[in-house]
Each structure stands twice: as structure tokens, then as C-alpha cells.
Amino acid sequence: MKLFNSIILILLLTACGSPIDENMSRSVEEFEGDNQNGSTIKLPHDLEGQYWVANFIFTRCDTVCPPMTSNMSRLQQQLKEESLDNQLVSFSVDPEYDSQKKLTKFAQQFNADLNSWHFLTGYSFQEVKELSIKSFQSPLSQLDNTDQVSHGTSFFLVDPSGNVIKRYNGTEAGEMENIVEDIKKVQ
């Protein structure tokens, strides 16, 4: 019986991999975009070795993007208060319209610290659509007869190896605390 209990204990200990409740397991496909400063960011390579948080937004959005971006700003502030140095990435889903200048102006409305928050553009709509669907399991489509884009409202935690490991509700301010707590557990 002692041998049986020992085997069960070993199996239980080896099965407990992550200190957080992961709800995703997807690799971020190679993707390249230009941030608001004109610097090319190659993902996941340029953020390899650190945890980062991603979302999908656009500057002409008249529904969920302003509250999501406000929440990302809140998250950035909470990370700073906890002395956590994590990068944030907001992919524009309207890259043909969202120039670096427009993204910078948009970011400034939310007091974004652009040293650790990248607003990406410089790719095609099809490229960001494929990234959103394949890497983040998040739907994305251009709405007919409008300048609006239908996209997911989640925030995503990406691990140091470039794997999306957890999805959060990006429209709920309280979720930002959950992201910070999860990052504290895994770092």
C-alpha cells in the first residue's frame, strides 16, 4: 500500500505543471509589425524569455476598444505598482487605417507608457486575421458597408516560449487584477 501511495503522490506532483489555471495552449505564429515608434517587432522572438499580454483593437472602434484600452492602461499601471516589467502588445485589426501616428495619438489618450506597450500595425488585414484566429483562437472579420471590424475582446497571457496560455475578459476591469496575480505566480 505504501508503494501505491508513493506512486500516486509522484504522479500528482508531476501532473501539477503550472501555478495558474491555464485555459489555452497555442503557439504564437511568427508575426511582424511596426510599433508606434516605427520599430519592427518580430513575434514571438522579440519578446522571448518574458511573459507578455496581448489584445486586438483599432482606433476607429466605436464600441469595445476604448474600454479595453482603458483596461490595458489600468493593467500597465498595476504591473508597475507591483514592480513587474512585462510588455503589452495591442494588434491593430485595421492596419490600413491605423498608421503609427494614429496609434500614438490613440495611445496618448489612455496614458500608455510606450516603453513597454507596443501598438502594432504595418501588416495586412489578412495577416492579422490569420494571427488572431490561429494563434489566439479569436474571431476577426471586416463588417460589410462600415469601417468597423468585429473582433474578440480578450486579453491573452503569453509565456516566455511564445505560447498563449491564458485568456481573460478584456472588457472587465477586475480581470486586470487576475492578470497581475497570475503573472506574479509564474515569474
Side-chain angles (χ1 to χ4, degrees):
M1 188 66 170
K2 285 184 180 182
L3 178 62
F4 177 75
N5 287 338
S6 295
I7 292 171
I8 295 298
L9 180 61
I10 290 170
L11 288 174
L12 287 173
L13 290 174
T14 57
C16 299
S18 178
I20 65 171
D21 292 328
E22 297 179 7
N23 58 20
M24 290 190 71
S25 180
R26 305 288 292 187
S27 295
V28 175
E29 293 186 359
E30 290 187 16
F31 189 81
E32 189 173 300
D34 298 324
N35 73 8
Q36 67 283 344
N37 301 323
S39 298
T40 299
I41 306 295
K42 295 178 182 180
L43 298 173
H45 175 71
D46 286 348
L47 298 180
E48 188 175 62
Q50 60 187 303
Y51 284 89
W52 49 284
V53 178
N55 74 343
F56 294 84
I57 54 96
F58 64 110
T59 63
R60 294 192 284 189
C61 178
D62 58 13
T63 56
V64 295
C65 297
M68 287 174 58
T69 307
S70 179
N71 284 338
M72 189 71 92
S73 179
R74 178 179 284 109
L75 173 62
Q76 186 176 50
Q77 186 59 40
Q78 290 176 357
L79 289 169
K80 282 182 182 179
E81 289 169 5
E82 294 290 337
S83 299
L84 297 169
D85 185 28
N86 300 90
Q87 298 290 304
L88 307 175
V89 178
S90 291
F91 297 95
S92 170
V93 297
D94 189 10
E96 286 81 20
Y97 179 82
D98 283 342
S99 65
Q100 295 164 8
K101 185 176 180 179
K102 287 178 181 157
L103 286 170
T104 299
K105 185 177 179 182
F106 183 74
Q108 289 170 342
Q109 294 172 17
F110 297 94
N111 300 314
D113 177 349
L114 299 178
N115 292 312
S116 61
W117 188 352
H118 304 280
F119 287 79
L120 297 184
T121 191
Y123 39 78
S124 71
F125 176 79
Q126 188 60 36
E127 289 171 314
V128 75
K129 180 178 180 178
E130 287 178 20
L131 175 76
S132 182
I133 293 169
K134 291 178 181 177
S135 296
F136 295 92
Q137 294 181 313
S138 186
L140 178 60
S141 63
Q142 182 70 48
L143 298 176
D144 293 334
N145 304 316
T146 180
D147 62 4
Q148 297 299 291
V149 178
S150 175
H151 62 92
T153 59
S154 296
F155 286 10
F156 302 92
L157 181 59
V158 182
D159 75 9
S161 299
N163 298 306
V164 183
I165 60 171
K166 192 159 182 181
R167 172 191 311 255
Y168 305 85
N169 185 333
T171 61
E172 290 187 18
E175 281 280 85
M176 302 312 105
E177 292 174 21
N178 294 333
I179 296 171
V180 171
E181 290 304 313
D182 283 348
I183 290 173
K184 285 167 54 177
K185 290 177 188 175
V186 295
Q187 288 198 150

